[in-house]
Amino acid sequence: KNQVEQSPQSLIILEGKNCTLQCNYTVSPFSNLRWYKQDTGRGPVSLTIMTFSENTKSNGRYTATLDADTKQSSLHITASQLSDSASYICVVSEDAGNMLTFGGGTRLMVKP
Amino acid sequence: DSGVTQTPKHLITATGQRVTLRCSPRSGDLSVYWYQQSLDQGLQFLIQYYNGEERAKGNILERFSAQQFPDLHSELNLSSLELGDSALYFCASSVGGGLSELYEQYFGPGTRLTVT
């Protein structure tokens, strides 16, 4: 069964600090992996989309990495801001193109 | 603002009833996706339409159905509602068609459904 596991489930950091969120998946055959940011009660917003041939992709202070061999991805947030407080969701697409599998998300709280 | 609109914002209804959720995609987008987000199951992909045709099907119950109209807006119909159907329902849109393709998906603000 295709699964996407995210860790940690929740994280509290101080403003200005860096953090790394993890995503492990068993989806096969793999097509692409997306990271989304979701503020409470709002729709997810795309941060990055990566294929198996991409190791790293950045979007401002957000940097995603992908290791297709170990089926692991990470999202690194640099110099966190209060507005980074949100849930971060990892989503993996099958190469067959007919299914998306979502991780349970990591809830990040950035404190002043 | 993503450019995707969803109505209504909130919906409260009783078990056994039927409701229709509506989504208008961003201008120029041909694909519409429906998602369900509940507290216990997180986000789940339900179904995708591309230019009026069903393109991909996820974990959509038989009690649920969707369609995309010629003007590209989409409706999600939920029938014989159960308490467990209470959730946030999101619609997203993209320019292109395939889940395995790299098109950006833009999410709407969601419809919060409460079944009592």
Side-chain angles (χ1 to χ4, degrees), chain B residues 56-99:
Chain B
K57 208 167 193 174
N59 299 319
I60 189 165
L61 299 173
E62 285 191 10
R63 300 183 286 109
F64 297 180
S65 65
Q67 54 184 324
Q68 186 179 28
F69 294 87
D71 68 352
L72 300 178
H73 91 271
S74 178
E75 293 181 355
L76 179 67
N77 300 297
L78 315 176
S79 62
S80 303
L81 285 167
E82 302 174 359
L83 296 177
D85 297 328
S86 294
L88 260 173
Y89 290 84
F90 289 107
C91 162
S93 74
S94 71
V95 170
L99 291 179

Side-chain angles (χ1 to χ4, degrees), chain A residues 2-99:
Chain A
N2 288 332
Q3 287 189 308
V4 176
E5 301 285 343
Q6 291 188 245
S7 61
Q9 282 191 325
S10 62
L11 183 61
I12 301 173
I13 62 173
L14 291 176
E15 186 179 13
K17 297 296 186 184
N18 304 336
C19 67
T20 300
L21 314 180
Q22 300 289 342
C23 172
N24 296 339
Y25 61 91
T26 62
V27 175
S28 182
F30 172 84
S31 173
N32 61 75
L33 184 147
R34 300 166 187 247
W35 282 95
Y36 285 96
K37 177 187 178 188
Q38 185 179 24
D39 292 319
T40 302
R42 306 192 70 167
V45 174
S46 179
L47 296 176
T48 62
I49 307 172
M50 301 176 71
T51 65
F52 70 92
S53 61
E54 297 174 289
N55 298 121
T56 304
K57 185 164 270 190
S58 291
N59 178 357
R61 294 180 296 102
Y62 300 100
T63 300
T65 65
L66 175 64
D67 185 334
D69 291 331
T70 62
K71 299 188 176 182
Q72 296 180 324
S73 176
S74 65
L75 180 69
H76 186 74
I77 305 174
T78 304
S80 61
Q81 300 176 358
L82 298 179
S83 59
D84 292 331
S85 295
S87 288
Y88 292 84
I89 302 169
C90 174
V91 187
V92 181
S93 174
E94 282 182 43
D95 195 37
N98 60 0
M99 196 57 193

Side-chain angles (χ1 to χ4, degrees), chain B residues 1-115:
Chain B
D1 183 0
S2 66
V4 178
T5 61
Q6 290 187 246
T7 56
K9 285 187 179 179
H10 303 278
L11 198 48
I12 302 175
T13 189
T15 54
Q17 295 299 304
R18 172 190 169 94
V19 298
T20 297
L21 313 183
R22 182 188 168 103
C23 168
S24 293
R26 293 188 323 152
S27 176
D29 283 358
L30 298 179
S31 269
V32 170
Y33 311 77
W34 285 99
Y35 298 90
Q36 179 194 58
Q37 187 172 37
S38 59
L39 282 175
D40 57 344
Q41 296 214 354
L43 260 170
Q44 287 192 95
F45 166 66
L46 296 179
I47 197 163
Q48 178 206 359
Y49 280 82
Y50 175 75
N51 204 20
E53 300 290 326
E54 183 183 306
R55 195 70 179 270
K57 208 167 193 174
N59 299 319
I60 189 165
L61 299 173
E62 285 191 10
R63 300 183 286 109
F64 297 180
S65 65
Q67 54 184 324
Q68 186 179 28
F69 294 87
D71 68 352
L72 300 178
H73 91 271
S74 178
E75 293 181 355
L76 179 67
N77 300 297
L78 315 176
S79 62
S80 303
L81 285 167
E82 302 174 359
L83 296 177
D85 297 328
S86 294
L88 260 173
Y89 290 84
F90 289 107
C91 162
S93 74
S94 71
V95 170
L99 291 179
S100 60
E101 297 169 34
L102 303 180
Y103 297 107
E104 200 73 61
Q105 288 188 30
Y106 296 88
F107 282 74
T111 292
R112 183 173 294 279
L113 173 67
T114 303
V115 182

